[in-house]
Structure formats: C-alpha cells, structure tokens
Amino acid sequence: MAERSHTPAAPALVVETDTGSTVLDPTRAYHVGRDPLSDIVIDDARVSWHHAVLHIVEGHWTLADENSTNGTYTDGHRIHEWGVGPGSVIRFGSAADGPRAVLTEPAPAPGEPLHARPLPAEPEPVAPPAGEPPPPEPRPAVPPAEEPPPGEAAPAEPLPAEPPPAEPLPARPLPAAGRPSGVVLPSATGTFRRPTSVRPIPARTVRIGRSPDNELVVDDLVVSRRHAELRSLADGTYEIVDLGSHNGTYLNGLPVGRAPVLPGDIIGIGHSAFVLVGDELQQFVDTGEISLDVQDLAVSVDRGRKVLLDHVSFPVGEKCLLAVVGPSGAGKSTLLNALTGLRPADQGTVLYDGRDLYRDYAELRRRIGLVPQDDILHAQLTVRRALAYAAELRFPQDTDRSEREARVAEVIRELGLEQRADQPIHSLSGGQRKRVSVALELLTKPSLLFLDEPTSGLDPGMDRSVMHMLRDLADDGRTVVVVTHSVLSLDVCDRLLVLAPGGRIAYYGPPADALGFFGFAQWPEAFEAFEGDRGRDWAGTYRASRFNRQYIVGSTAQPHLPPAPAPGPVPPPPKNQSWGAQLRTLVRRYTAALSADRTFLVIMIALPFVMGAMARALAGNRLDRESAMNALLILCVGGVLTGAANAVRELVKERAIYQRERAVGLSRSAYLMSKVVVLGTVTVLQAIVLTLVALAGVDLGAPGGEGVLLPPLLEITLAVALLSFTAMMLGLLVSAVVRKEEVTMPLLVLLAIVQVVFCGALLKLDGVAVVEQLAWLVPSRWALAAMAGTIGLGRIVPGELTADPLFEHSAGVWLLDMGMLLVLSALFGVLVARLLRRHEPAVMRK
C-alpha cells in the first residue's frame, strides 16, 4: 500500500498578543474579539464583540474583518480581508495604538533542528473593496514542506533565505531544563512539541474551567465548569487546588486535591496539560495526533512457565491505523490489555506520546477508547437514546443537557448514523451496531482507539465497511489499533503487526509487504505455517530483516527507557457524576431498556396471574385441611419463580457493558442498586398481584380471623413480596456467578426445585441435623413459616410437619421469619457485589 501523506493545507502560525500567544491549527478557524468565548480574546473597548476571524482560504491564512465598528489595520491601512503569514502585524480598533497581534512561525521544540520543521506558506492578498487604499504588500514566505507519513522521520529542508523580521515577539518553546515531567523528548511528541498557548502568570489565583467566567477557559466537555485553581503563594511558589471537579485534577499523572507545583510539573485537566516555565503558564492540548511507543513488553503466567508476550517493541505514529493479526494463542488479546493498561505488562513500557502510560494511567486512561468484541450497548434502546445515557454517565454532572445532546449529534454525524439515530440497536446490521459501539467511545474524544475483533461475524462487505470507517477515524486525527482475525481489508491500514505463537513479532511494517516477507501468496498459507512449523524462529528472521531496521529501529522517535519500578496501586477512576446521579441515570436507562423488551413485559405480566390462578384453584373458597398446605406451597413457588426469573440473566448478559463502564468510572454499588431498585419494584408488584389473585376473598382460617400483627391477607402478601425480593437477589447472585447466559435457565429450574424441597412443606426439617441448617439458607423456608404462622397452619392441618416451631402463631416467631428473609437478601447482595468485582479490569482489582 502506498504511504499516506498528511501534508497540511497551510502552515501553523503563532499569534502573539499582550495577553499571551496562541498556536493556530490550519484545520479550524479562530475568532478574534472582546467576547470571552472568542478563540483570541482582546479586552479593549475599541475592539468589537466579534471583531475578526482568522481562517484558511485556498491554502493560505486569511484575516477577515467581521464588520467591526473601529476596523482592523495593517501598516496604517484598514483592511476587510487580507492574506497574512509570518511577519504580519495587525492592529484592532485603531491604526495608531490599537491592541496589536503579531504572527510568527512556531518556534522549534527543545532539541528539534530548525530545518526539520515545515516552513510557512506565502500568503496571498485579497483585493480590498473599491474606494479603500491598498494595504502594503505582505512579506513573502517559503512554501511548506511535505509532512512525512506516520512514524517516518521528516526530511531535511534548507533554511529560509531571509531571517524572520525582528519586530514580532518570538514564540517561546519549553526550555529543556523545564520540560514536562517524565517527557524525555518533547519534540518527538504530538502534544508537547510546542505549546498551544502561552500566558503570563499573574500574581494571584487563576481559576481554570469550562465556564466563560474563569480566568483560564478550557473548552472541553470532560472539564468541569469550575475545575481547579492555580494559586500563587506568598513565597513565590504555586499550588494547584482541585475545586471538587468530577473528572479530577492531576499532577504528573496522579490525582490531587491540593499540591505544590514545581517548574516542569504537568498539571492535567481534561485533554489539556499545563506547565510552569519561568513566569509563564504554557498550555499543551492533546488534539488526538499522538504517538504510541511500545518498548519491550513481556507477559507470562504460571509463575513464568508460560510466556504470552515475549519482549514486544514497535512504534505507532500519529494518525496511524495499525492492524494486529496472528493465529489463535499468539497473544493478541494480551497485547491489547497491555496497551490499554487494563492488564499492565509484567515488564516493559508503553509510552503514550512520550508519557509512561502505566505511571500516568490514572490521568491518561480517559484518553483511551476501547471497543470490545461484544456490543457494549443496550440493544433495546434507540441509537440516540443509548448514546444520550452514555453521555450522562461519562460527562461531568455539571454538563448541560444541550451540551450532551450536541456532542451526541456530532458523533452520530461523524459515524454516518443520521438515518439510524432513532432506530432500535437490535434492528441494525452487524456493521451498523459496531459503528454505534465506536460512537459511544468517541463521545469523550479519545486520542487512542482500540478495537477487539470489530469485524467478527460480519460478511466481507460489512468487514470492508468497518475497516474503511476506522481508516477515516485515523485520518481525522486519532491513533487506531485494531485486533482482528480478518485479512480482507488490511490494505487500508498504515502498519501491520503479525504475532507468532509465543507472543513474538513475526512482522511489523506496511501490510503490502507482509506476504512477500513470509514467502507466501495467500494469508491462509502463512497461518498454516505458524501452526505447522512451530520450530521456525519467526521472530529471529524478522529481527535480522531490513523491515525491523526501517520500521522499528529507524522509526522509533522516543528513546528507550530503562525498566521502571512497578507502579503503585492505580486509584479508581473518578466518578463523572455523584453516586445518586449515577443511580438515577442507571435506573432510567434500565427502566427504558426493560420497557422496550416486549418479551420480558409479556412474561412479567402473565406469570403472576398464571401462578395466582393455580393457587386459587387449589385454595377454593376456604383454606382447610386439604387445601391450605398446597395453596401456601404454590405461593412460595410462584414467588420464587417470579423473583428469580426476573434477575437470573440480568448481570451476565450485560457483563461487557459493565466492564467497560466500570473502567471509565461507573460505581459498582450504583450499578447493583439500579438493578435492585428496578427489578425489586417489578418483583414486589408481581408478588402483590400473585397473592391477591390467589387469596382475595378466600377464608384464610386464621385464629379469630386475625393475623399475628396485621390482617391475615396483608401479612401473607408481605411474606410473598419479601420472598420474591429475596429470590430476585438470589437470581442476581446466580447471574454474577455464571459465565454464559445459556446456563441460567437450567439453574433457575434447579433453584425452584431446591425451594420446594427445603421449604418445609414436603420434608420434616425441625431437629434433622444438617438438613435443618441447610434450610436456613433457603428463602422459601422462612416465607412458608411466616405464612403458616399467620393462619395458624398447625391448627388447620395437624401433624408432624406443621408442628415446626417456626410455624407458631406468635409475633416473635413471625418477626423472626420475616427478619431472616431480610438477612438473606442482604447476604446475597454482598456476595453479588464481591462477584462483580471479579469481572472488573485487572488494573482495578489490584
């Protein structure tokens, strides 16, 4: 495949004003004015609210006046639209003494030779309107150099013939002595190559946040409205203070509440990094064009006896699409877990744009998107609604609904899902569902996007469509890594990594050269060779090849770092919302998903009526010697089935969703409580219907027509409702234990049988060693005892079974029976929470 060029349409420029400098990105426009929301704010009464705009016209930077009141000037002449470039000096509001802006070239980063940078393009003037005096000729500039493909070194270019003019203020790059903490070579990164803006540090507090009333406004939805403060202390030093932000404030990768800031320290807020350099605060924005350097990763299990990854090293350039292929058992999933930080490697380093991912994982984890093989969305919801709930959970709590909806709409457009936005996800094709999963990850604008088998189960056409989508995502400014078994569309990738059995690199380089390197005509032949020729040294052959020298050794920009000490425990991700807000969102989402599931609704409505009708048929008009025990037994079975059937599949079927959401800040207890609230409400309502259908109007035969503490029918209804709730908790426990949804139905049947056998209606339990103790863990044992006590079953049906002390018609015994149901519910809930932890990413369990 031909290498892709990423030549910009126009060079980057630096705009210097009295308040700081801004690096202009050629891919967007910059508004200048007095409006605090402007990209370049000039606080001067002579400047209009929306004064001018800097943008690209036919490949050149152009300044257009937006009908400002006092005008825009260059060299004393008023302009309306004018080509600008390095050396241009512009005044706003007055030709003589209006606020000045100077345009310069970006200065080289520390250690970056001047001739390795693209040179600015010559601006072209735009003719002024009739009657206006012509502005002066702009200074000529050298045409831009071509950017190299991802991962390649830039070619040397000659120095400009003329030195830059002396008048403009030069952009001040980060000095080597004050480079960002932990970033060894800033010039080889996309983020720290040069500052996005440079601001003088006032001798006061600087508040940072998303709201326009902050001194330093960060336009990033993952940043809280009032996020943090940089405070100047009396001794001339500074400290950073988090203002209760939802996504946290980080210092050198670690979350902090209040901490001193030294020169070179990285203050991480959202996608921005701030560094103190002298009397300046330099801002570096992670725009997505970042590199990934994998250095000597090794993973083993069974105390080192089985190697899963064997010292894997390779670079991934900016805006690169990398495919990882290999036979089963070659370590692809292990590599994916190591690169995402979910299961860090035992040895080696992963550099995220020059920063140690494992060391700074607490901060960088939010810039990594992961699309697992299984869908991570509720299939019953529409595309728009599913993404809206995800945005609620992933964005800060102070994000307005309009802001979230705008971001959801933007992602839907980006993925080409406009025509499917209001369609249920389960009705989409496989490729479209995968697009929705990708859209969910793109909500927070990750710079690194990983996909695990995104084309699994898709036909060749859908396979190619998904791969072209990933190609577009990389071209838009992301680094994309896809693990796949499919080799149909490798030609759209920039780089291909082939892993041989044992987790070794068999090939890394352009996809078009891979088969030729292996000496095969088709990929099936190569995979057969991997499996059949186990003794061949695939890794050794590659290490000795020119591909290794060119695409790994020669393309690795970051220096090889020595092994770092094992990182300490990684703090859990901050919660974007409070516990209560997460619970409310989860309850609404789960309710919407259940309501859209017609099969569940039919079963939920029909089951209590069917079971209640069966109990009614047995009870007749009066509970007597022949009917009482059987009627109560059917109520127990009905209560157990309704509760357990509601919950037995609910955790296992959402396991992929829970794992991904937990990794980005979902509260485990809020997730479990949302299930308890929704399913518990449904279950209790079913139990009430079941009991009323079965016993309403029936003579219960209670002593004196009264229950122990309440009317008999109310007491029985409470017992069945509490039994159903406890059975629901037991169903959640089963769902948390099993690995596959298919095994839940057989277990549900077994659960019902156990409840019947150990409830006390068929076997004598009192005084029988072991059996009696086992029955204590069976909810139906206590529910049947409570109902028997209410009606005085021992009096209606005398005998050995009904002589059970737990069947007594007394307040103390009845409260004990009901209390044990509550105890069992709580016990099952604790066990479910512990089992949910087992299914979380490994990095969160340490």
Side-chain angles (χ1 to χ4, degrees), residues 129-142:
E132 290 286 345
E137 293 291 329
R139 299 179 185 271
V142 182

Side-chain angles (χ1 to χ4, degrees), residues 56-90:
I56 299 296
V57 175
E58 296 182 354
H60 301 283
W61 282 106
T62 300
L63 177 70
D65 186 272
E66 295 193 299
N67 298 317
S68 64
T69 302
N70 296 319
T72 305
Y73 302 86
T74 180
D75 283 358
H77 297 273
R78 185 166 183 168
I79 62 172
H80 290 271
E81 191 169 4
W82 189 248
V84 294
S88 297
V89 180
I90 305 151

Side-chain angles (χ1 to χ4, degrees), residues 107-260:
E112 179 186 1
L114 181 62
H115 62 273
R117 295 163 36 241
L119 300 176
E122 178 181 1
E124 291 184 356
V126 179
E132 290 286 345
E137 293 291 329
R139 299 179 185 271
V142 182
E146 288 191 283
E147 274 192 16
E152 302 294 331
E157 292 290 338
L159 294 174
E162 295 183 11
E167 184 181 11
L169 300 173
R172 287 165 286 188
L174 193 67
R179 70 177 178 228
S181 175
V183 182
V184 178
L185 191 59
S187 61
T189 70
T191 303
F192 296 101
R193 186 176 299 150
R194 57 181 61 90
T196 306
S197 65
V198 179
R199 307 167 190 268
I201 303 177
R204 57 183 176 84
T205 296
V206 177
R207 192 173 64 204
I208 307 171
R210 197 175 79 252
S211 176
D213 60 357
N214 292 286
E215 287 82 9
L216 205 165
V217 180
V218 180
D219 186 15
D220 187 345
L221 282 183
V222 300
V223 175
S224 296
R225 291 190 175 277
R226 291 170 177 82
H227 197 104
E229 286 183 347
L230 181 65
R231 296 176 180 174
S232 174
L233 304 179
D235 59 358
T237 60
Y238 296 89
E239 68 174 2
I240 188 70
V241 180
D242 185 81
L243 299 180
S245 66
H246 294 282
N247 282 332
T249 302
Y250 299 85
L251 187 66
N252 299 325
L254 296 177
V256 294
R258 178 193 297 264

